[in-house]
Amino acid sequence: MKKSQIAIENFKSLNCAQSVLLTYAEDVNLEKNTALSVAQGFGSGMTIGETCGAVTGAYMVLGLKLRREGKTIQDIKTESKANMGRFNELFLERHGSLQCKKLLGIDLSIAEGMQQAREKGLFDTICAKLVGSAAEILEENF
C-alpha cells in the first residue's frame, strides 16, 4: 500500500499530524507511541488553525530523516531548511496554502468553526486529501 493510502487510513482515527508522522515512524526508527505523543498537539493547525497538521507532521518526518553523521550543526540546519522549503513549495503548488484556516475556509480555533467543519464533512474530504498529499510528497521527493 502507498504511504498516502496508509496516512489516510491512519487519519480515520488520528489527527492529521499524527497520521503523517505515524505513516513514516518505522522508516525513521520512531516508536509508534512516541510518534503519537509527539504529534498530538499539532492537529487542526496546532489547534488554532495555523500551519496545517499534515504539513507539521511532514516537517517532523523530514527532521527525523536527516542524516546527521559527519555534519556540523550548521550543515544540518541548512539541509533541514532546504528540505522544508522544498516540501512547502510542493504543498503550495498543490493546495495554495499551508494554513489550516485558508485550506478549510473555516477557523477551527473556535467552537463554531469546529462544528461547521464536522457538519460539512471537511475532515473526511479536504483534510483526508491533505494528509494523503503530504505523505505522497514525502514518498515521491524525500
Side-chain angles (χ1 to χ4, degrees), residues 33-67:
N33 287 328
T34 301
L36 295 174
S37 294
V38 166
Q40 181 63 47
F42 290 85
S44 299
M46 295 173 279
T47 73
I48 57 171
E50 290 302 324
T51 304
C52 171
V55 172
T56 56
Y59 291 170
M60 292 177 213
V61 173
L62 289 170
L64 290 164
K65 280 186 158 201
L66 270 178
R67 301 282 180 232

Side-chain angles (χ1 to χ4, degrees), residues 7 15 19-20 24 33 35 37 40-41 44 53 56 59 66-67 70 75 78 100 102-103 105 118 124 132 138 142:
N15 77 36
S19 300
V20 174
Y24 286 90
N33 287 328
S37 294
Q40 181 63 47
S44 299
T56 56
Y59 291 170
L66 270 178
R67 301 282 180 232
D75 291 339
T78 299
C100 186
K102 289 182 180 176
L103 292 163
R118 285 189 184 108
D124 295 330
L138 290 171
F142 297 95

Side-chain angles (χ1 to χ4, degrees), residues 6-25 32-33 35-37 39-40 42-44 53-54 123-124 127-128 131:
I6 295 168
I8 291 168
E9 277 301 308
N10 288 339
F11 187 63
K12 291 178 180 177
S13 60
L14 303 171
N15 77 36
C16 37
Q18 289 174 315
S19 300
V20 174
L21 182 57
L22 185 62
T23 297
Y24 286 90
K32 178 181 177 178
N33 287 328
L36 295 174
S37 294
Q40 181 63 47
F42 290 85
S44 299
F123 298 116
D124 295 330
C127 294
V131 164

Side-chain angles (χ1 to χ4, degrees), residues 83-94 98 137:
N83 286 345
M84 305 237 180
R86 178 71 177 137
F87 179 88
N88 290 345
E89 181 182 303
L90 294 166
F91 195 88
L92 284 166
E93 282 176 10
R94 291 181 183 202
L98 301 173
I137 290 169

